[in-house]
Amino acid sequence: MTKTKTAEYQSHLQDVLDAPEGPHIAALFDFDGTIIAGYSATAMLWEKIRRREMTAEEVVETINVMAQYSTGNMGFSGLMSGAAKFMKGVTEDSYFEFGEELYEKHIARKVYPEARALIEAHRAKGHTIAIVSSATIYQIEPTARDLDIEHVLCSQYEVENGEFTGNIIRPLCFGEGKVLAAEGLAAEYGLDLDQSYFYSDSYDDIELLERVGKPRPLNPNTKLREAAREHGWPLEKYESRGQGKPVDYLRTVYATGSLVGSVVASLPIWALTGSKREAMNFSTGLFGDIATALTGCELEVTGEENLWTSRPCIFVFNHQSKADVMILAKLIRRDMGGVAKKEVRDTPVIGKLMELAGTVFIDRANAGSAIKAMAPLIDAVKIDGKSIVIAPEGTRTLSPKLGPFKKGAFHMAIQAGVPMVPIVIHNAGDVAPKNEFLMRPAKVRVDVLPAVDTSKWTSRTLNEHVAEVRGMFLEALGQTEEEDALEALVNEERAPQKKTVARKKPASRKAGTKKTVTKKPVAMRPANRSTPSDKPAARKSSKMEAAE
């Protein structure tokens, strides 16, 4: 490869869009610092400390081992061995469960949206996608499942009879071990590494970067950045996750506080005209305008005319982020009511303001009380001509994938006798993913779909209508792999006597299975842990099925 003294930052995404197609081309990704911001091992350590699952002695020794590794006095093998000894006798199943909790609390919000787009670009080209990481399957599995990545090659602890032995399996997936893992995957699936990509942030991966034909340093550390410039490798850096800048904190605080300011600004209208409704309409639109401007949230809206042609109506949206509130306020602007979980009402000031604006707070754990609580909204639609905004998924999702739909919004549409207007939000998580305090600038795509006629809907055919509307969201989001979930809903409607509620199992694990120790740094899919194999796991995308 021709060497140059400098290598300019360039779009890795555009590079993929211009690339050849075919499964013989691999797209290999490091995990920590590449797919996610920061390090999953650090999140795991702090979560264990927070839960008091480590003794003071173990904490001190772990910190000492990490310090020795960071200063170069200990190799990666020593670091892993030090961690492994604390795990002796612990069940592997407990670590898979811990990994799921870690993903939900910490890691999901650290996934770079740019990395997600990059992975999708490779998938569109038909490339074989794999994570090649020195981390363990317990740290990686939930994220790999979320991203529909089929192959996970990683370091492994030794497991016998379902428990950790306190040893590691060599070679680890580190340095030259990553090259061995990638070559094993290539041999098994007929990959051409000379035409393949490897994305990494660390100089520790220099061997695999030099082995593939298309090395792509991503968020490179100082040493890798220097090596990339020497080799003439293209670089790119993401700043949408990780530690925010002071201005991001200011944006977030002021955007949140603008709700209070907007209501205060509307009080003279209420006082002078006596119209609470006009005052609330003014404050809603003002809040949407101010909050999106402060956070740098730019909306790219298609079908905007559909916001106005069928009011009053039931607006339904897919809930990705706390930014959805300001996005919907900016779009809908007036004559609206909403539904929120009861915990929001206890939020100082904001809860009271939302209640004043006509928000109904429900207890999701009590279906009966929730239905009773939403009764006033039906009157608001029929008598006052207000439109209701509700998220059929209920709570915010951890990723852009659409969750199962509940039926409350659909019952409401039947009772109120008004159309349903789907608002499809593509990437509000770029502004603020679930569990993230900071809001960052982003362009958010929104599709407002044509109104759905509900005049012929009945309770008997409700499942079919839920499937129809959810299918509209899936199509707009490009999540066509969910079609079987729609079919499940229709089948449920056609055979109500055999009705079941499917629940998604964490990590697709089989309880009580045992994992055969392998000799390659290749992690098998947890659901196959009882099957002896040296092959990388082929992981199928999970399907979201209907839930009541």
Side-chain angles (χ1 to χ4, degrees):
M1 180 179 296
T2 302
K3 295 184 179 181
T4 62
K5 291 184 178 180
T6 60
E8 295 183 358
Y9 281 83
Q10 69 179 50
S11 170
H12 289 340
L13 179 61
Q14 187 59 50
D15 180 39
V16 175
L17 296 176
D18 296 336
E21 299 182 356
H24 63 289
I25 297 175
L28 310 176
F29 288 82
D30 180 38
F31 185 63
D32 295 304
T34 303
I35 290 179
I36 67 169
Y39 297 93
S40 55
T42 303
M44 180 175 280
L45 175 62
W46 284 115
E47 181 64 18
K48 281 188 172 185
I49 293 174
R50 188 191 68 80
R51 292 162 59 163
R52 298 182 180 179
E53 293 182 353
M54 298 180 70
T55 65
E57 180 182 355
E58 289 174 338
V59 172
V60 171
E61 187 168 350
T62 298
I63 293 174
N64 179 52
V65 169
M66 293 175 67
Q68 291 188 57
Y69 173 71
S70 63
T71 57
N73 295 323
M74 176 183 291
F76 183 73
S77 179
L79 178 68
M80 287 290 290
S81 295
K85 72 177 185 179
F86 292 129
M87 299 166 63
K88 185 176 182 179
V90 177
T91 64
E92 187 185 29
D93 276 346
S94 69
Y95 254 71
F96 276 112
E97 292 169 3
F98 181 53
E100 289 292 329
E101 294 179 22
L102 196 71
Y103 171 74
E104 293 180 5
K105 290 183 179 180
H106 303 286
I107 295 179
R109 61 189 171 91
K110 294 179 179 292
V111 175
Y112 285 110
E114 300 94 336
R116 188 184 294 273
L118 190 60
I119 290 166
E120 288 304 314
H122 278 291
R123 181 170 290 112
K125 288 289 183 176
H127 298 167
T128 299
I129 303 170
I131 293 175
V132 187
S133 172
S134 57
T136 65
I137 190 67
Y138 320 106
Q139 297 154 253
I140 301 171
E141 156 65 19
T143 304
R145 186 182 65 243
D146 168 40
L147 297 171
D148 288 329
I149 294 179
E150 295 183 70
H151 309 289
V152 174
L153 290 73
C154 60
S155 298
Q156 295 183 86
Y157 296 119
E158 187 178 71
V159 178
E160 290 181 356
N161 299 319
E163 295 182 351
F164 295 111
T165 67
N167 298 318
I168 58 175
I169 297 176
R170 301 176 190 273
L172 293 168
C173 197
F174 181 83
E176 186 63 27
K178 284 194 176 183
V179 177
L180 295 175
E183 289 179 339
L185 186 71
E188 182 67 28
Y189 290 93
L191 308 178
D192 184 353
L193 292 182
D194 292 333
Q195 296 188 57
S196 296
Y197 298 77
F198 177 48
Y199 300 91
S200 175
D201 71 309
S202 176
Y203 185 80
D204 290 336
D205 292 332
I206 192 66
E207 290 96 335
L208 185 51
L209 285 165
E210 291 178 335
R211 173 64 183 85
V212 299
K214 296 180 180 180
R216 296 293 182 263
L218 185 56
N219 309 319
N221 59 18
T222 301
K223 195 171 182 180
L224 178 56
R225 186 164 58 248
E226 293 172 354
R229 287 171 175 166
E230 179 67 21
H231 286 78
W233 295 338
L235 300 164
E236 189 164 15
K237 183 177 178 62
Y238 300 153
E239 295 182 332
S240 60
R241 293 291 182 265
Q243 185 64 37
K245 300 175 182 177
V247 68
D248 295 323
Y249 287 91
L250 287 175
R251 288 175 185 273
T252 303
V253 171
Y254 280 115
T256 304
S258 67
L259 176 60
V260 178
S262 299
V263 173
V264 171
S266 73
L267 293 180
I269 297 176
W270 192 354
L272 294 174
T273 67
S275 174
K276 173 184 172 183
R277 180 166 180 169
E278 286 304 316
M280 290 301 100
N281 285 342
F282 175 80
S283 65
T284 298
L286 184 62
F287 165 66
D289 291 339
I290 293 176
T292 53
L294 285 172
T295 57
C297 176
E298 179 184 351
L299 300 186
E300 183 180 292
V301 184
T302 59
E304 190 168 2
E305 67 278 3
N306 296 321
L307 291 167
W308 305 99
T309 55
S310 301
R311 296 198 187 192
C313 64
I314 306 297
F315 287 108
V316 288
F317 70 100
N318 53 315
H319 199 6
Q320 296 182 350
S321 168
K322 64 181 180 181
D324 293 337
V325 176
M326 65 181 183
I327 291 171
L328 292 167
K330 184 175 179 65
L331 292 174
I332 299 174
R333 307 196 70 83
R334 59 180 298 112
D335 300 330
M336 58 184 285
V339 178
K341 59 184 180 180
K342 67 175 185 178
E343 290 79 7
V344 175
R345 180 167 45 193
D346 300 327
T347 304
V349 183
I350 291 177
K352 188 63 179 177
L353 292 178
M354 291 180 66
E355 186 174 18
L356 186 65
T359 301
V360 168
F361 301 96
I362 62 172
D363 182 1
R364 293 197 184 107
N366 188 330
S369 68
I371 293 172
K372 184 178 180 180
M374 287 193 292
L377 292 178
I378 305 299
D379 292 336
V381 177
K382 288 183 173 181
I383 299 173
D384 299 329
K386 285 189 174 183
S387 296
I388 306 302
V389 186
I390 188 168
E393 296 165 290
T395 189
R396 294 198 300 268
T397 57
L398 286 166
S399 79
K401 289 186 177 180
L402 193 67
F405 275 13
K406 302 179 187 299
K407 298 177 182 177
F410 299 85
H411 282 295
M412 189 179 296
I414 293 175
Q415 294 174 39
V418 295
M420 178 172 283
V421 177
I423 299 179
V424 184
I425 304 174
H426 286 262
N427 58 313
D430 291 2
V431 178
K434 185 175 181 178
N435 299 328
E436 179 64 79
F437 169 73
L438 286 183
M439 291 193 283
R440 306 173 195 255
K443 177 180 286 188
V444 178
R445 291 173 51 218
V446 180
D447 295 331
V448 185
L449 305 183
V452 179
D453 181 13
T454 67
S455 60
K456 296 182 180 179
W457 285 12
T458 66
S459 296
R460 185 180 61 82
T461 60
L462 196 61
N463 287 330
E464 185 176 345
H465 305 312
V466 174
E468 175 192 358
V469 174
R470 188 166 183 272
M472 296 168 68
F473 275 87
L474 290 170
E475 183 177 357
L477 291 168
Q479 298 176 13
T480 54
E481 73 275 8
E482 302 290 352
E483 288 301 321
D484 66 332
L486 304 183
E487 185 178 351
L489 278 171
V490 175
N491 290 340
E492 183 182 29
E493 151 64 19
R494 292 173 178 172
Q497 70 278 11
K498 297 181 179 180
K499 180 178 176 181
T500 59
V501 178
R503 289 181 171 84
K504 184 180 178 184
K505 297 181 179 179
S508 302
R509 297 185 298 108
K510 290 182 179 178
T513 58
K514 301 176 183 178
K515 179 175 181 179
T516 300
V517 176
T518 64
K519 301 302 181 182
K520 292 183 180 181
V522 177
M524 294 182 293
R525 187 185 186 193
N528 297 332
R529 295 208 310 274
S530 60
T531 304
S533 173
D534 283 338
K535 299 179 182 179
R539 310 165 79 256
K540 304 298 183 183
S541 59
S542 58
K543 310 296 182 183
M544 304 294 276
E545 296 193 16
E548 288 284 326

